[in-house]
Amino acid sequence: VMENEIICVFTLAVNEGKFPEFKHLVSEIVPKVDKEPGTYAYVYSVSDDQKVAHIIERYHTDAVVSHIDDTFSPFAERFLSLVSVTSLTVYGTPTSEAKKRLDSFGAVYMKPFDGFSK
C-alpha cells in the first residue's frame, strides 16, 4: 500500500441462485465508480460455483467516504439483498470518517510495516 492509499478486500457470500442478478447490478455500479476521482481499482471476482465473490478496491485515502456515501449508497439495499459481506480487510490508514463507514462491514484493519509497491 502506497502512502495515502487504502485497499479494501471484501469477501461476499452470494445468495443462492442470485449471481446473475448480482452480476447485472454490479454492471450498473462499476461505470459509476469508474468516474470517481481517487478510485484507482475496483475489481469483482467470483468463485467457479458462483457462491463467493471478492471485491478489491484501491482508493486515495480521501476518496473512501465519497465512494460509500455518494456512489454506493443508492445501490446498497439491492446489493445487500443479493449478497452478504462475510469479511472486509482494509490495508492502509483510513480516516476516522472512513472507519465509521467501514466498521459497519466488520472491517479488520491491517497497517503496513515493511515492503514496497511499484
Side-chain angles (χ1 to χ4, degrees):
V1 178
M2 302 287 287
E3 190 175 329
N4 296 319
E5 285 187 4
I6 301 295
I7 295 174
C8 298
V9 179
F10 284 87
T11 300
L12 310 172
V14 181
N15 295 347
E16 190 68 37
K18 294 296 185 181
F19 182 72
E21 191 176 345
F22 180 63
K23 185 177 180 182
H24 179 76
L25 177 60
V26 168
S27 75
E28 295 177 40
I29 297 171
V30 169
K32 304 245 187 253
V33 175
D34 188 34
K35 294 178 178 145
E36 293 175 333
T39 298
Y40 306 129
Y42 191 72
V43 179
Y44 283 80
S45 302
V46 67
S47 61
D48 286 343
D49 64 7
Q50 299 183 339
K51 292 182 179 181
V52 177
H54 284 181
I55 318 168
I56 299 174
E57 305 175 354
R58 192 170 132 248
Y59 301 98
H60 185 278
T61 304
D62 297 335
V64 176
V65 170
S66 64
H67 166 74
I68 294 169
D69 289 0
D70 302 333
T71 306
F72 181 72
S73 98
F75 298 100
E77 188 175 334
R78 284 168 59 204
F79 189 95
L80 294 170
S81 74
L82 302 171
V83 299
S84 55
V85 177
T86 57
S87 71
L88 166 58
T89 305
V90 179
Y91 301 89
T93 309
T95 64
S96 60
E97 283 302 306
K99 277 186 162 186
K100 283 181 193 174
R101 289 146 180 87
L102 297 169
D103 284 348
S104 67
F105 298 107
V108 173
Y109 298 97
M110 304 293 288
K111 290 189 170 117
F113 66 93
D114 200 349
F116 62 89
S117 180
K118 293 185 180 183

